[in-house]
Amino acid sequence: MSLLDEEGNQEESLESKTLSAEDQVKDHSTGTRVVAGQIFLESGKSDSQSENEENFHSQEEEKENSLEELNSIEMSNLLNKDLEEAEIQSPVLTAIGGTADGEPCHFPFLFMEKEYAECTADGREDGRLWCATTYDYKKDQKWGFCESEEQSNKRRQMQEAEDVYQIGMKILNESSKKAQKKVAYQYLLKAADMNHTKAMEKVSYALLFGDYLKQNIQSSKELFEKLTEEGSPKGQMALGFLYASGLGVNSSQAKALVYYTFGALGGNLIAHMILGYRYWAGIGVLQSCESALTHYRLVANHVASDISLTGGTVVQRIRLADEVENPGMASGMLEEDLIQYYQFLAEKGDVQAQVGLGQLHLHGGRGVEQNHQRAFEYFNQAANAGNSHAMAFLGKMYSEGSDVVPQSNETALQYFKKAADMGNPVGQSGLGMAYLYGRGVPVNYELALKYFQKAAEQGWVDGQLQLGSMYYNGIGVKKDYKQALKYFNLASQGGHILAFYNLAQMHATGTGVMRSCHTAVELFKNVCERGRWSERLMTAYNSYKDGDSNSAVVQYLLLAEQGYEVAQSNAAFILDQKEASIVGENETYPRALLHWNRAASQGYTVARIKLGDYHFYGFGTDVDYETAFIHYRLASEQQHSAQAMFNLGYMHEKGLGIKQDIHLAKRFYDMAAEASPDAQVPVFLALCKLGVIYSLQYIREINIREVFSHIDMDQLLGPEWDLYLMTIIALLLGTIIAYRQRQHQAIPRPAGLRPAVPQQEPPPEHQAPQ
């Protein structure tokens, strides 16, 4: 399955869970409910409020019991009333043509000894829907069409388009080969030509990114416009992106905001994420932390609900700029040769290699695709060799269940117990989960707490997360928000998504901590950036490595709109290198400047230095030394960048954007050398140059004649200083002459070796002039 398909499928499944943005925010803004480590806040009540509520519980229960019977009667009456109203309000179908034109259809009706509760095409070769106007069709022969001929043709066309779409999706989902996926998109293209909405969405994005179809921004724009007219949230979001980035259209942030808003109202998660980032950073709108919180929380709820026990996929963030500076160091990718080496070790029975490869295939990342089948095989081999870590991960796979491993609480429990008995924290945490939720064993909060504590003491993030959840909800222990906060913080340091989510909920509602909208937004943003759409970071990187910079830059630009700092810097880098031909040459630097600016505002040092460079040299903007100086100073003070310090030294030396000051220049050069060993050589050369300049400046500032006129040689060297000077000169001359004569002496040759003297003819006495 391609990334585009995964992204679309997730979005469809997630959107189906939600009625509206407001409902979701209300659902998760109050109270306390925990599911698999997630906190769903259902009331922003303080500790004192919860204590008061406990005092009322007994009274409330009595009232509730006394009202139960009455409520049940009232509810049944209301339901009956609603059903009656629904029956009254349901539209009545009228027969068209046939033998009962204009008469209402009768449901159910009997045809061929079968009852039909809706119109049918049975008994007709043309496929038109019809109904009977009396119960027994055979007896009365009263019938009519449920649709006009035009409606029938349109319905059949849409059915044909749906069939073609399903064929394409089946090929797309079942094949991993690029050639097969291209065939699948040919079916989707055919369905899109027949105005199938989902097919148009797939094809339009494929044309935008160049996924299995040739990239064509203009064609994708036309499809997005068509989808927008039909009210497709995906089409609205994508059209907003085109206007925001100026691809295929004239850039308009106002139009982009309108389309993003419509897309978000339609339930598109990416549109919500983009609006969250825009309100957080104040892009095209007034900066509003609360508005950003609303959008980010909604998306984070979906991402958190989609996190499995195994933790989901790993987000690979590779900076192109850092990779150029340090090839192979910044990417964190495993070389193919190294993977093959680990596979060789695993085949030879190396247990650590088996466990490592199992984890890589379970989560994906570092250049390895997620593959549960391979993960299961490696874990099985290591578990058979007695490795507790492999046993625990097998338990997690059985507990979670997948296409490869059937869900089985009993099998999971066996593996968890074996691993826990060997002191493995993953197994202990899994056993705690089994006792907490009653998976294969009776619910036992005390044992759950015990195993989570053991796992947490060994630093296992799942144990810390679940322990925090138990303290938060008061399950098996007294409710303690401070302890919950402590364990959530520990789990977040290990990078657990649900820990970030829970901390965000606590900061958003001020539960156990002072309410902080800014902290909550940053935490929710972190959760949102771990959604499945983050996998497009790797597809964009692979496109760039394959030489398709146009496809890469479009993908990075969309991710940049969603607020990914690494995507902003990578998009700016590709534009800076002028590798994307879809962007006009005159627009390259201004757009790169925009994304360097956004990346810098999120704390990326290289982006901040690039901003200084752009203003220093006038790339995409006017030359402005003062602004360049400000950016270099920010990079120096906030990120302690050696490059920025060196640049500040140079600007002080030359007096660019600041008053010339050689002493401050030397100070910044020295700071650069201290900050980075790589800066020591250029700093040494710069200091040498600075020393020469300082000497020349000093000589220029003083009058040499005045200096010599004030020197009294007789007083300084004595009355006979001239004789001393002449003697020293004579000695120097004698030394030089002696040295030269010694050089010209003939070198003695060994006896018996005399060079042959060539015979020369005597010169003629009289020779005519030539």
Side-chain angles (χ1 to χ4, degrees):
M1 184 185 291
S2 72
L3 178 60
L4 191 65
D5 305 325
E6 289 178 2
E7 184 180 307
N9 291 341
Q10 186 204 31
E11 210 168 288
E12 286 166 20
S13 64
L14 293 177
E15 284 171 12
S16 65
K17 298 177 187 176
T18 310
L19 293 175
S20 70
E22 291 177 3
D23 292 340
Q24 271 298 323
V25 173
K26 287 175 186 174
D27 288 346
H28 295 83
S29 61
T30 59
T32 51
R33 180 165 60 89
V34 63
V35 179
Q38 298 176 54
I39 293 173
F40 291 98
L41 301 167
E42 294 169 6
S43 73
K45 298 165 187 167
S46 63
D47 295 341
S48 59
Q49 285 176 309
S50 60
E51 287 172 10
N52 292 336
E53 281 183 357
E54 286 173 9
N55 297 331
F56 287 131
H57 277 330
S58 58
Q59 298 174 24
E60 291 297 324
E61 283 175 8
E62 290 175 10
K63 291 179 183 178
E64 286 172 9
N65 292 334
S66 63
L67 291 172
E68 268 182 10
E69 188 177 346
L70 179 62
N71 287 340
S72 63
I73 294 168
E74 288 178 356
M75 284 300 294
S76 63
N77 291 337
L78 284 170
L79 284 169
N80 291 333
K81 187 178 179 182
D82 289 342
L83 286 169
E84 287 170 10
E85 287 177 0
E87 286 174 7
I88 292 166
Q89 292 174 2
S90 61
V92 178
L93 283 172
T94 303
I96 302 170
T99 60
D101 185 32
E103 294 182 20
C105 292
H106 187 285
F107 296 112
F109 64 87
L110 188 68
F111 173 67
M112 300 288 287
E113 299 181 358
K114 178 182 176 183
E115 281 193 344
Y116 291 85
E118 58 185 3
C119 297
T120 181
D122 290 355
R124 294 194 62 86
E125 293 181 358
D126 60 3
R128 284 186 71 178
L129 296 174
W130 65 278
C131 69
T133 56
T134 60
Y135 175 73
D136 193 338
Y137 168 78
K138 185 177 180 180
K139 176 185 175 184
D140 301 320
Q141 296 287 312
K142 303 242 343 178
W143 67 279
F145 293 111
C146 297
E147 57 189 359
S148 65
E149 192 170 351
E150 184 182 350
Q151 289 172 329
S152 175
N153 291 335
K154 187 176 180 181
R155 181 181 56 79
R156 285 200 298 271
Q157 185 182 2
M158 290 310 297
Q159 184 59 50
E160 185 184 348
E162 177 66 22
D163 293 341
V164 174
Y165 171 77
Q166 291 299 336
I167 292 170
M169 289 304 298
K170 185 180 180 183
I171 297 170
L172 198 63
N173 294 333
E174 292 179 356
S175 177
S176 59
K177 294 180 179 179
K178 195 172 183 179
Q180 286 294 316
K181 289 184 181 291
K182 286 184 177 181
V183 170
Y185 267 97
Q186 292 306 311
Y187 281 101
L188 295 177
L189 264 173
K190 185 179 177 182
D193 291 338
M194 299 164 75
N195 295 323
H196 190 281
T197 303
K198 288 186 177 179
M200 285 195 290
E201 288 174 349
K202 291 282 183 188
V203 169
S204 57
Y205 277 94
L207 289 169
L208 178 66
F209 298 133
D211 288 344
Y212 310 112
L213 292 174
K214 187 178 179 182
Q215 190 175 31
N216 190 325
I217 303 294
Q218 195 61 36
S219 296
S220 68
K221 179 186 81 88
E222 291 169 3
L223 278 172
F224 288 139
E225 287 174 339
K226 193 172 181 180
L227 286 165
T228 299
E229 288 173 6
E230 294 179 5
S232 165
K234 286 185 179 180
Q236 291 162 342
M237 183 280 293
L239 200 56
F241 163 65
L242 292 182
Y243 276 107
S245 55
L247 293 172
V249 293
N250 292 325
S251 180
S252 171
Q253 297 303 319
K255 286 185 178 180
L257 186 63
V258 169
Y259 285 120
Y260 284 149
T261 304
F262 278 119
L265 290 171
N268 186 271
L269 298 178
I270 293 177
H272 274 296
M273 195 171 167
I274 291 170
L275 286 175
Y277 174 67
R278 287 191 161 230
Y279 278 110
W280 182 63
I283 299 171
V285 291
L286 288 173
Q287 199 166 10
S288 171
C289 184
E290 294 299 333
S291 297
L293 180 63
T294 301
H295 290 289
Y296 271 131
R297 176 164 21 196
L298 188 143
V299 181
N301 290 339
H302 287 295
V303 173
S305 66
D306 195 47
I307 299 301
S308 64
L309 184 64
T310 52
T313 55
V314 176
V315 180
Q316 202 72 39
R317 300 170 189 261
I318 304 170
R319 300 182 192 279
L320 300 179
D322 291 351
E323 198 176 57
V324 170
E325 290 292 327
N326 304 299
M329 289 179 65
S331 69
M333 301 289 286
L334 289 175
E335 296 290 338
E336 185 65 30
D337 292 344
L338 191 58
I339 295 170
Q340 288 178 0
Y341 173 68
Y342 284 132
Q343 288 172 344
F344 172 76
L345 290 178
E347 288 169 7
K348 292 293 182 184
D350 189 304
V351 177
Q352 294 302 321
Q354 290 167 351
V355 174
L357 285 170
Q359 287 181 278
L360 275 174
H361 283 97
L362 180 64
H363 302 297
R366 302 197 71 183
V368 179
E369 287 188 8
Q370 195 173 23
N371 188 325
H372 283 191
Q373 180 65 48
R374 298 290 296 277
F376 180 76
E377 290 169 1
Y378 283 124
F379 284 141
N380 224 0
Q381 291 172 17
N384 292 335
N387 185 274
S388 62
H389 217 60
M391 293 175 190
F393 273 100
L394 280 174
K396 290 183 81 169
M397 292 187 77
Y398 274 109
S399 178
E400 186 68 25
S402 65
D403 295 337
V404 175
V405 183
Q407 202 281 334
S408 172
N409 289 332
E410 290 73 21
T411 309
L413 192 66
Q414 289 174 10
Y415 279 115
F416 283 144
K417 278 183 176 177
K418 286 180 183 178
D421 290 343
M422 297 170 74
N424 185 277
V426 186
Q428 291 165 346
S429 178
L431 209 52
M433 291 287 286
Y435 282 112
L436 180 64
Y437 295 109
R439 295 174 181 171
V441 289
V443 172
N444 190 324
Y445 294 141
E446 288 183 9
L447 282 175
L449 184 71
K450 171 189 167 185
Y451 283 114
F452 286 144
Q453 284 174 335
K454 285 184 175 182
E457 285 168 6
Q458 295 189 63
W460 182 241
V461 289
D462 282 341
Q464 294 164 342
L465 175 76
Q466 298 301 335
L467 203 54
S469 296
M470 292 187 78
Y471 275 110
Y472 185 93
N473 293 282
I475 299 173
V477 289
K478 187 178 178 182
K479 192 178 287 187
D480 189 338
Y481 292 136
K482 297 295 180 187
Q483 283 292 322
L485 188 70
K486 169 190 167 184
Y487 285 111
F488 288 149
N489 275 318
L490 286 170
S492 71
Q493 289 169 18
H496 204 298
I497 306 174
L498 294 181
F500 287 117
Y501 176 80
N502 293 344
L503 286 171
Q505 292 284 26
M506 292 182 78
H507 281 92
T509 55
T511 308
V513 290
M514 284 290 290
R515 186 180 187 276
S516 172
C517 177
H518 184 78
T519 306
V521 167
E522 288 190 334
L523 288 165
F524 276 133
K525 182 175 181 288
N526 195 321
V527 175
C528 294
E529 290 182 0
R530 305 283 282 275
R532 285 194 178 274
W533 40 77
S534 63
E535 294 173 21
R536 187 158 287 284
L537 285 168
M538 274 309 298
T539 62
Y541 174 76
N542 291 330
S543 295
Y544 180 75
K545 283 296 177 184
D546 292 339
D548 192 353
S549 297
N550 286 335
S551 174
V553 79
V554 173
Q555 293 178 76
Y556 278 134
L557 285 171
L558 177 58
L559 291 164
E561 280 289 297
Q562 292 173 245
Y564 286 89
E565 176 271 306
V566 68
Q568 291 166 349
S569 59
N570 285 352
F573 175 82
I574 294 172
L575 292 169
D576 180 80
Q577 300 294 310
K578 294 189 174 182
E579 294 176 332
S581 60
I582 58 169
V583 179
E585 192 171 342
N586 295 332
E587 299 175 10
T588 301
Y589 282 134
R591 292 192 188 187
L593 179 66
L594 172 71
H595 287 94
W596 283 132
N597 195 25
R598 290 181 184 178
S601 65
Q602 297 199 61
Y604 184 39
T605 311
V606 173
R608 181 66 67 187
I609 295 170
K610 280 287 186 180
L611 284 177
D613 293 344
Y614 273 48
H615 284 96
F616 187 91
Y617 295 109
F619 293 158
T621 183
D622 296 329
V623 173
D624 188 343
Y625 293 132
E626 291 181 3
T627 305
F629 183 85
I630 290 168
H631 286 299
Y632 289 143
R633 189 177 64 189
L634 285 171
S636 169
E637 292 173 355
Q638 295 175 2
Q639 287 99 19
H640 306 289
S641 166
Q643 179 68 56
M645 292 172 187
F646 186 90
N647 292 353
L648 286 171
Y650 181 80
M651 294 185 81
H652 275 292
E653 178 189 328
K654 297 292 184 182
L656 300 171
I658 195 73
K659 185 181 177 182
Q660 188 176 25
D661 191 329
I662 290 176
H663 300 287
L664 271 176
K666 183 180 183 305
R667 179 184 170 190
F668 278 110
Y669 284 142
D670 289 338
M671 287 168 63
E674 290 174 7
S676 172
D678 295 336
Q680 289 178 356
V681 172
V683 164
F684 172 75
L685 296 173
L687 287 175
C688 290
K689 176 189 168 189
L690 199 63
V692 173
I693 292 171
Y694 181 76
S695 302
L696 292 172
Q697 186 177 345
Y698 177 76
I699 292 169
R700 195 181 299 118
E701 288 175 357
I702 63 172
N703 192 326
I704 297 174
R705 287 184 178 180
E706 288 183 7
V707 171
F708 280 106
S709 65
H710 286 89
I711 296 174
D712 188 352
M713 300 297 287
D714 289 342
Q715 188 177 357
L716 188 64
L717 299 175
E720 298 176 350
W721 65 270
D722 52 345
L723 293 174
Y724 300 147
L725 184 60
M726 289 173 66
T727 305
I728 291 168
I729 291 171
L731 287 171
L732 284 172
L733 284 171
T735 304
I736 291 167
I737 292 165
Y739 178 72
R740 298 277 292 179
Q741 283 181 346
R742 186 172 296 175
Q743 273 191 329
H744 285 87
Q745 284 181 355
I747 299 170
R749 296 185 178 86
L753 291 174
R754 294 176 179 271
V757 180
Q759 294 181 355
Q760 295 182 0
E761 294 182 7
E765 293 180 1
H766 301 284
Q767 199 168 22
Q770 298 290 327

PDB file of all heavy atoms in Angstrom, residues 18-26 264-265 272 294-295 298:
ATOM      1  N   THR A  18     -15.974  10.944  14.005  1.00  0.00           N
ATOM      2  CA  THR A  18     -16.241  12.291  14.487  1.00  0.00           C
ATOM      3  C   THR A  18     -17.452  12.893  13.803  1.00  0.00           C
ATOM      4  O   THR A  18     -17.593  12.810  12.595  1.00  0.00           O
ATOM      5  CB  THR A  18     -15.021  13.194  14.198  1.00  0.00           C
ATOM      6  OG1 THR A  18     -13.869  12.525  14.671  1.00  0.00           O
ATOM      7  CG2 THR A  18     -15.165  14.525  14.908  1.00  0.00           C
ATOM      8  N   LEU A  19     -18.311  13.532  14.605  1.00  0.00           N
ATOM      9  CA  LEU A  19     -19.446  14.226  14.018  1.00  0.00           C
ATOM     10  C   LEU A  19     -19.056  15.622  13.602  1.00  0.00           C
ATOM     11  O   LEU A  19     -19.330  16.066  12.503  1.00  0.00           O
ATOM     12  CB  LEU A  19     -20.605  14.274  15.029  1.00  0.00           C
ATOM     13  CG  LEU A  19     -21.241  12.911  15.369  1.00  0.00           C
ATOM     14  CD1 LEU A  19     -22.266  13.098  16.456  1.00  0.00           C
ATOM     15  CD2 LEU A  19     -21.879  12.293  14.144  1.00  0.00           C
ATOM     16  N   SER A  20     -18.418  16.350  14.487  1.00  0.00           N
ATOM     17  CA  SER A  20     -17.997  17.711  14.165  1.00  0.00           C
ATOM     18  C   SER A  20     -16.836  18.095  15.033  1.00  0.00           C
ATOM     19  O   SER A  20     -16.554  17.465  16.042  1.00  0.00           O
ATOM     20  CB  SER A  20     -19.138  18.698  14.387  1.00  0.00           C
ATOM     21  OG  SER A  20     -19.390  18.828  15.767  1.00  0.00           O
ATOM     22  N   ALA A  21     -16.158  19.176  14.621  1.00  0.00           N
ATOM     23  CA  ALA A  21     -14.988  19.641  15.375  1.00  0.00           C
ATOM     24  C   ALA A  21     -15.394  20.053  16.774  1.00  0.00           C
ATOM     25  O   ALA A  21     -14.732  19.735  17.760  1.00  0.00           O
ATOM     26  CB  ALA A  21     -14.336  20.813  14.644  1.00  0.00           C
ATOM     27  N   GLU A  22     -16.531  20.762  16.901  1.00  0.00           N
ATOM     28  CA  GLU A  22     -16.958  21.249  18.205  1.00  0.00           C
ATOM     29  C   GLU A  22     -17.281  20.089  19.137  1.00  0.00           C
ATOM     30  O   GLU A  22     -16.942  20.095  20.312  1.00  0.00           O
ATOM     31  CB  GLU A  22     -18.175  22.158  18.051  1.00  0.00           C
ATOM     32  CG  GLU A  22     -17.835  23.476  17.354  1.00  0.00           C
ATOM     33  CD  GLU A  22     -19.066  24.337  17.153  1.00  0.00           C
ATOM     34  OE1 GLU A  22     -20.150  23.935  17.605  1.00  0.00           O
ATOM     35  OE2 GLU A  22     -18.923  25.404  16.540  1.00  0.00           O
ATOM     36  N   ASP A  23     -17.973  19.051  18.593  1.00  0.00           N
ATOM     37  CA  ASP A  23     -18.329  17.901  19.419  1.00  0.00           C
ATOM     38  C   ASP A  23     -17.090  17.221  19.954  1.00  0.00           C
ATOM     39  O   ASP A  23     -17.031  16.817  21.107  1.00  0.00           O
ATOM     40  CB  ASP A  23     -19.147  16.881  18.614  1.00  0.00           C
ATOM     41  CG  ASP A  23     -20.524  17.434  18.265  1.00  0.00           C
ATOM     42  OD1 ASP A  23     -20.944  18.377  18.951  1.00  0.00           O
ATOM     43  OD2 ASP A  23     -21.144  16.928  17.310  1.00  0.00           O
ATOM     44  N   GLN A  24     -16.062  17.084  19.093  1.00  0.00           N
ATOM     45  CA  GLN A  24     -14.844  16.402  19.534  1.00  0.00           C
ATOM     46  C   GLN A  24     -14.170  17.177  20.649  1.00  0.00           C
ATOM     47  O   GLN A  24     -13.698  16.605  21.614  1.00  0.00           O
ATOM     48  CB  GLN A  24     -13.876  16.249  18.370  1.00  0.00           C
ATOM     49  CG  GLN A  24     -14.088  14.976  17.573  1.00  0.00           C
ATOM     50  CD  GLN A  24     -13.877  13.734  18.405  1.00  0.00           C
ATOM     51  OE1 GLN A  24     -12.995  13.697  19.252  1.00  0.00           O
ATOM     52  NE2 GLN A  24     -14.695  12.727  18.201  1.00  0.00           N
ATOM     53  N   VAL A  25     -14.106  18.491  20.507  1.00  0.00           N
ATOM     54  CA  VAL A  25     -13.447  19.305  21.536  1.00  0.00           C
ATOM     55  C   VAL A  25     -14.213  19.191  22.845  1.00  0.00           C
ATOM     56  O   VAL A  25     -13.637  19.061  23.918  1.00  0.00           O
ATOM     57  CB  VAL A  25     -13.356  20.782  21.088  1.00  0.00           C
ATOM     58  CG1 VAL A  25     -12.838  21.636  22.214  1.00  0.00           C
ATOM     59  CG2 VAL A  25     -12.437  20.898  19.889  1.00  0.00           C
ATOM     60  N   LYS A  26     -15.564  19.172  22.771  1.00  0.00           N
ATOM     61  CA  LYS A  26     -16.365  19.038  23.977  1.00  0.00           C
ATOM     62  C   LYS A  26     -16.147  17.674  24.608  1.00  0.00           C
ATOM     63  O   LYS A  26     -16.029  17.541  25.811  1.00  0.00           O
ATOM     64  CB  LYS A  26     -17.846  19.230  23.645  1.00  0.00           C
ATOM     65  CG  LYS A  26     -18.215  20.677  23.336  1.00  0.00           C
ATOM     66  CD  LYS A  26     -19.655  20.774  22.890  1.00  0.00           C
ATOM     67  CE  LYS A  26     -19.991  22.201  22.430  1.00  0.00           C
ATOM     68  NZ  LYS A  26     -21.346  22.276  21.864  1.00  0.00           N
ATOM     69  N   ALA A 264     -11.395  22.078   7.004  1.00  0.00           N
ATOM     70  CA  ALA A 264     -11.440  21.710   8.423  1.00  0.00           C
ATOM     71  C   ALA A 264     -12.875  21.500   8.888  1.00  0.00           C
ATOM     72  O   ALA A 264     -13.169  20.560   9.634  1.00  0.00           O
ATOM     73  CB  ALA A 264     -10.765  22.800   9.263  1.00  0.00           C
ATOM     74  N   LEU A 265     -13.799  22.352   8.436  1.00  0.00           N
ATOM     75  CA  LEU A 265     -15.207  22.188   8.792  1.00  0.00           C
ATOM     76  C   LEU A 265     -15.768  20.877   8.247  1.00  0.00           C
ATOM     77  O   LEU A 265     -16.681  20.298   8.831  1.00  0.00           O
ATOM     78  CB  LEU A 265     -16.026  23.367   8.258  1.00  0.00           C
ATOM     79  CG  LEU A 265     -15.792  24.716   8.958  1.00  0.00           C
ATOM     80  CD1 LEU A 265     -16.481  25.843   8.206  1.00  0.00           C
ATOM     81  CD2 LEU A 265     -16.278  24.661  10.406  1.00  0.00           C
ATOM     82  N   HIS A 272      -7.113  20.862   9.649  1.00  0.00           N
ATOM     83  CA  HIS A 272      -7.104  21.269  11.065  1.00  0.00           C
ATOM     84  C   HIS A 272      -5.679  21.518  11.549  1.00  0.00           C
ATOM     85  O   HIS A 272      -5.415  22.485  12.266  1.00  0.00           O
ATOM     86  CB  HIS A 272      -7.742  20.180  11.923  1.00  0.00           C
ATOM     87  CG  HIS A 272      -9.237  20.278  12.025  1.00  0.00           C
ATOM     88  ND1 HIS A 272      -9.871  21.344  12.619  1.00  0.00           N
ATOM     89  CD2 HIS A 272     -10.219  19.457  11.593  1.00  0.00           C
ATOM     90  CE1 HIS A 272     -11.184  21.162  12.565  1.00  0.00           C
ATOM     91  NE2 HIS A 272     -11.427  20.027  11.935  1.00  0.00           N
ATOM     92  N   THR A 294      -7.473  24.505  20.002  1.00  0.00           N
ATOM     93  CA  THR A 294      -8.701  23.825  19.550  1.00  0.00           C
ATOM     94  C   THR A 294      -8.408  22.899  18.376  1.00  0.00           C
ATOM     95  O   THR A 294      -8.819  21.733  18.370  1.00  0.00           O
ATOM     96  CB  THR A 294      -9.761  24.862  19.137  1.00  0.00           C
ATOM     97  OG1 THR A 294     -10.049  25.706  20.251  1.00  0.00           O
ATOM     98  CG2 THR A 294     -11.031  24.179  18.660  1.00  0.00           C
ATOM     99  N   HIS A 295      -7.687  23.414  17.372  1.00  0.00           N
ATOM    100  CA  HIS A 295      -7.394  22.610  16.175  1.00  0.00           C
ATOM    101  C   HIS A 295      -6.416  21.473  16.484  1.00  0.00           C
ATOM    102  O   HIS A 295      -6.628  20.332  16.064  1.00  0.00           O
ATOM    103  CB  HIS A 295      -6.826  23.504  15.074  1.00  0.00           C
ATOM    104  CG  HIS A 295      -7.827  24.437  14.477  1.00  0.00           C
ATOM    105  ND1 HIS A 295      -8.844  24.013  13.657  1.00  0.00           N
ATOM    106  CD2 HIS A 295      -7.978  25.784  14.587  1.00  0.00           C
ATOM    107  CE1 HIS A 295      -9.581  25.050  13.284  1.00  0.00           C
ATOM    108  NE2 HIS A 295      -9.075  26.128  13.830  1.00  0.00           N
ATOM    109  N   LEU A 298      -7.958  18.542  18.558  1.00  0.00           N
ATOM    110  CA  LEU A 298      -8.837  17.672  17.776  1.00  0.00           C
ATOM    111  C   LEU A 298      -8.026  16.643  16.991  1.00  0.00           C
ATOM    112  O   LEU A 298      -8.340  15.453  16.979  1.00  0.00           O
ATOM    113  CB  LEU A 298      -9.682  18.530  16.828  1.00  0.00           C
ATOM    114  CG  LEU A 298     -10.795  17.796  16.074  1.00  0.00           C
ATOM    115  CD1 LEU A 298     -12.018  18.688  15.939  1.00  0.00           C
ATOM    116  CD2 LEU A 298     -10.325  17.353  14.694  1.00  0.00           C
TER     117      LEU A 298
END
